[in-house]
Each structure stands twice: as C-alpha cells, then as structure tokens.
C-alpha cells in the first residue's frame, strides 16, 4: 500500500519553491537586465503576467488535460477541472496529489515566461496576455500530455526527465515563431542596460534549477541527488567552455558569455538529469556551449530573425541537443533507461522523433496563434511607443528616476 512519505513531501515542497524562484525573480531579472533601460519594467511585467495567467489556466483546466487519462495519446480527459475531485489527502505516488499539481504548475508558468525574451521591446501587453492564454491551452498542455501525461511520445518511450522537450524546445521554437510574426525591432542591438540584474537572475536560475531537475523524480532519494549533481556539473562546464570560446573569438572573457553558457548548460542537462552520470554531463555541458554559440553568432545573423534575448538560440537549440544527448548517454545504472552507448541505438531515434514532433507542432501552432492575434487585435506597438520605450508609454512608469 502506497502511503505519504514525509521526506519526499518535504523535498517536493522545497523543489516547488525553487522552481518558482526561476521565474520570479530569476527570469524577470535575467531578461530585464539584458533589455534596454526604457523597457526594463515592461520586460519584468511580461514574466509576471505570463506566470500568473498560466497559473490560473493550470488549475482551471490545464492540469486536467495534461495529466488526465489519455484520449488516443493526444490529450487528457478532463476529470479534475478547477481541481474538483482532488482532496488534500489524495496521493500521487508518495506525495500529495495537490503538491504534484503545483509543482507542474511552476513548469507551465516558467515555460510561458521564457517565451517573452523573444518579444521584448515591441509587443502589446494585451496581445501578450492573449497569446499566453492560447499558447498554454493549445501548445503547452498537449505537449506536456504527450511526453509526461501518458500520451503518444511517452508510450513510444521518449525520455524527458525535467523538460528539455516540454519546456525548452517548446519555448524556444515558440519564441522564434512569435518573433517572426512581430518582425525585427527598430534597434536590434543587444546592449544590456544592467548586466548586474542579469547576473543575479542567472544565479537564481542556477539555484532554482536544482529543484527543477532534482525534484522531477518526485522523491528525496539517490536519483534526486544524481540529478542535482549532474545539473551543476553541466552548467559549470558549459560556463567555462563559453568563456574559452569568448577568449578565442573576441580576445577576452565576458560576463554575458559566462551566464549565457551556464544557462545553456542547465537547459541541455534538463532532459538527461535523471538518466546520465557525471562523465556524460561533462560532455553535454561542453558541446552545448558550441551549439548555442553557433545559433547566437552565426545562425541568427545569417537568417535575420530578431529573437531579442535569444530564447531560441539558448533554450531551443540547447534543448534539442539535450534531448538527443539523452538518447546517447542514458545509463541504465542511473534510472533503467539505456541509450546508444549502452546498447540501445533506438533511443536516439525516439528522442529525435520527439524533438522534431515538438518543434513542428510548437512552431506551427505558435505562428498561427500569433498571426490570428495580429489580424484581429494587432500584436505590435506603434513606432512612437517603441522608440520612446514601453515603460512610460504602456505602463506610465519608469524603471529609473535619476
């Protein structure tokens, strides 16, 4: 008989709070420091409102459709709308069912907030809210069901321990689609107005990510310890690697490069954290810096898209690498699943199918949502508002009054 485990419950309560710190204040500070000073408050606002809207959707119907009994592997049956039928003593494994709900809520809110980095400085706040509502409903919830809720990718055997596919590929390609519909900013230079904010935000992300990955096994055990260990290792290796690349390419290490590398490493290890060992984490962290560096400084200029804060370059591309790397390095001694290096090349094929399916679905749906909103309500601010800054024009406030 399964009973509540106080240790597991205490750890998952803490892990949930850690993931919350990734969005508020982590993403809010990380993105706002990278933006222009005239848009700092609007950038923070996009994170707060996205997380809040996603939270409401999740408890009303998002959780039910994501984790309800599967309907043909595509979506869950809505058995617990508005959390009806779920009591405080109901369990999900060894933890309270409501604790699992709120843990997954933080993932949903974080993913929606991540997309905002692609649109800063030029999107109407009303359009952003409408986009989040439609995107969480039509993109995040179905993909979460496919991978984690008993859907077709889960049945196929796709591995995604903490969200490389559901969170990072999803948000990365969706940000790219939305940025393409919006079009480039009038001034596309990326000159962080307060890099200190971004460093603090990155620190919160790194700190919170240990709960993000460490909590995804839903238990306080050796698997959680391994997930935390390899998460930290991959981030550290990616940070050092990016610094070395900077040193070679521009002649000096940069703080922006350091935190970009750390976040890329955290993204890449996310799907693999519950399946790989330390040597694999070192390789994953090392390679991902090259993957995201290529996307930021070669792919982006060549293709000409204006993903303002490089959500696609870091989250999308490192998420893709992490998903595939999971299929290569999954070690059965860690969590039963075996990858290419342990005699199961088919796992790489499954990972690629899951990644490609998510890329196509998230991009196409996000593009359609953005196009529909653009035609019906308009999604971009006027030129005068963009030039003067969204803080004063949309909010009547200023981040700085010196």
């Amino acid at each position: 008989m399964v009973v509540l485990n106080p240790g597991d419950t205490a750890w998952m309560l803490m892990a949930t709070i850690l993931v919350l710190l990734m969005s508020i204040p982590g993403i809010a500070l990380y993105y706002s420091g990278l933006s222009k000073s005239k848009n700092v408050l609007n950038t923070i606002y996009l994170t707060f409102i996205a997380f809040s809207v996603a939270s409401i959707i999740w408890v009303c119907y998002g959780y039910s459709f994501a984790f309800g009994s599967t309907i043909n592997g595509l979506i869950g049956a809505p058995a617990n709308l508005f959390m009806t039928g779920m009591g405080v003593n109901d369990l999900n494994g060894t933890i309270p069912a409501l604790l699992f709900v709120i843990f997954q809520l933080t993932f949903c809110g974080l993913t929606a907030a991540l997309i905002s980095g692609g649109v800063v400085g030029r999107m109407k706040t009303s359009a952003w809210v409408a986009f989040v509502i439609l995107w969480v409903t039509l993109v995040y919830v179905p993909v979460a069901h496919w991978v984690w809720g008993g859907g077709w990718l889960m049945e196929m055997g796709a591995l995604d321990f903490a969200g490389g596919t559901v969170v990072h590929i999803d948000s990365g390609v969706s940000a790219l689609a939305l940025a393409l519909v919006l079009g480039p900013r009038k001034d596309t230079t990326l000159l962080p107005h307060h890099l200190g904010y971004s460093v603090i935000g990155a620190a919160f992300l790194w700190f919170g990510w240990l709960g993000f990955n460490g909590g995804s096994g839903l238990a306080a055990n050796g698997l959680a310890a391994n997930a935390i260990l390899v998460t930290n290792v991959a981030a550290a290796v990616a940070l050092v690697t990016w610094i070395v690349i900077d040193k070679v390419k521009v002649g000096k290490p940069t703080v922006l490069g350091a935190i970009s590398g750390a976040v890329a490493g955290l993204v890449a290890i996310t799907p693999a954290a519950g399946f790989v060992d330390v040597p694999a984490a070192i390789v994953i962290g090392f390679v991902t810096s090259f993957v995201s560096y290529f996307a930021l400084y070669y792919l982006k200029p060549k293709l000409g898209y204006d993903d303002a804060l490089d959500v696609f370059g870091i989250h999308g591309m490192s998420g893709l690498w992490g998903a595939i790397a999971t299929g290569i390095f999954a070690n059965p001694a860690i969590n039963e699943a075996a990858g290419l290096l342990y005699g199961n090349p088919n796992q790489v094929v499954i990972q690629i199918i899951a990644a490609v399916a998510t890329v196509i679905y998230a991009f196409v749906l996000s593009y359609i949502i953005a196009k529909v909103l653009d035609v019906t309500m308009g999604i971009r601010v006027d030129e005068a508002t963009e030039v003067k800054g969204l803080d004063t024009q949309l909010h009547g406030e200023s981040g700085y009054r010196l």
Side-chain angles (χ1 to χ4, degrees):
M1 179 180 177
V2 178
V3 297
L4 184 140
N5 184 302
D8 292 347
T9 300
W11 162 235
M12 290 307 300
L13 288 167
M14 180 57 68
T16 300
I17 295 170
L18 289 173
V19 181
L20 176 60
L21 286 174
M22 292 174 66
S23 296
I24 307 168
I27 288 296
L29 284 169
Y30 183 73
Y31 280 173
S32 66
L34 295 176
S35 68
K36 293 177 171 60
S37 59
K38 62 184 179 181
N39 297 321
V40 58
L41 294 181
N42 178 259
T43 303
I44 292 172
Y45 174 84
L46 295 181
T47 296
F48 272 70
I49 194 66
F51 189 90
S52 299
V53 169
S55 296
I56 295 168
I57 292 173
W58 193 250
V59 296
C60 289
Y61 60 83
Y63 171 80
S64 295
F65 283 111
F67 288 96
S69 300
T70 190
I71 301 174
N72 298 321
L74 298 176
I75 199 68
N80 301 111
L81 298 175
F82 297 91
M83 298 294 97
T84 56
M86 297 185 70
V88 295
N89 295 317
D90 292 342
L91 297 181
N92 185 313
T94 61
I95 66 172
L98 292 177
L99 177 53
F100 180 73
V101 171
I102 183 65
F103 183 65
Q104 287 295 331
L105 179 154
T106 60
F107 278 58
C108 178
L110 171 68
T111 310
L114 285 173
I115 299 172
S116 67
V119 306
V120 296
R122 63 198 192 278
M123 189 168 185
K124 293 179 180 178
T125 53
S126 56
W128 172 244
V129 171
F131 179 84
V132 170
I133 293 171
L134 293 171
W135 185 86
V136 169
T137 303
L138 300 176
V139 180
Y140 183 85
V141 168
V143 173
H145 180 75
W146 296 354
V147 178
W148 289 334
W152 69 279
L153 290 177
M154 187 174 183
E155 285 295 315
M156 184 185 293
L159 303 177
D160 186 4
F161 189 71
T165 301
V166 179
V167 175
H168 299 293
I169 294 178
D170 225 356
S171 61
V173 298
S174 297
L176 176 61
L178 184 52
L180 288 174
V181 175
L182 273 168
R185 292 162 293 162
K186 300 299 180 184
D187 177 7
T188 60
T189 56
L190 177 61
L191 296 173
H193 91 280
H194 198 313
L195 198 53
Y197 285 175
S198 297
V199 171
I200 296 171
F204 273 114
L205 285 171
W206 196 329
F207 177 61
W209 224 294
L210 302 182
F212 189 73
N213 289 356
S216 290
L218 307 181
N221 55 19
L223 184 61
N226 181 80
I228 290 173
L229 176 61
V230 297
T231 297
N232 190 74
V233 167
V237 170
L239 182 150
V240 172
T241 303
W242 199 298
I243 288 175
V244 172
I245 297 173
D246 264 350
K247 182 68 174 176
V248 172
K249 298 295 293 184
V250 300
K252 62 189 73 174
T254 67
V255 174
L256 178 58
I259 60 176
S260 297
V263 173
L266 291 165
V267 169
I269 197 63
T270 293
F275 303 107
V276 304
D277 54 20
V278 167
I282 292 172
V283 176
I284 290 171
F286 176 76
V287 172
T288 205
S289 286
F290 288 94
V291 171
S292 281
Y293 197 96
F294 170 79
L296 268 61
Y297 296 105
Y298 295 94
L299 187 62
K300 181 179 177 180
K302 185 174 181 62
L303 298 181
Y305 60 86
D306 185 21
D307 172 10
L309 304 184
D310 298 308
V311 186
F312 174 71
I314 291 181
H315 295 272
M317 291 297 289
S318 284
L320 281 168
W321 158 241
I324 296 170
T326 304
I328 298 172
F329 297 106
N331 184 344
I334 302 296
N335 193 13
E336 299 182 354
L340 173 65
L341 296 185
Y342 296 89
N344 182 22
N346 190 52
Q347 191 62 54
V348 177
V349 177
I350 293 173
Q351 295 301 110
I352 292 173
I353 291 172
V356 171
T358 303
V359 167
I360 294 173
Y361 181 79
F363 182 86
V364 171
L365 264 290
S366 297
Y367 193 89
I368 291 172
I369 291 169
K371 274 292 189 183
V372 170
L373 291 176
D374 195 30
V375 171
T376 55
M377 64 187 298
I379 61 174
R380 182 161 180 159
V381 299
D382 60 68
E383 184 174 350
T385 297
E386 183 175 345
V387 172
K388 293 178 182 179
L390 275 60
D391 288 358
T392 57
Q393 299 304 297
L394 298 186
H395 304 287
E397 299 170 304
S398 174
Y400 304 96
R401 294 190 179 278
L402 300 178

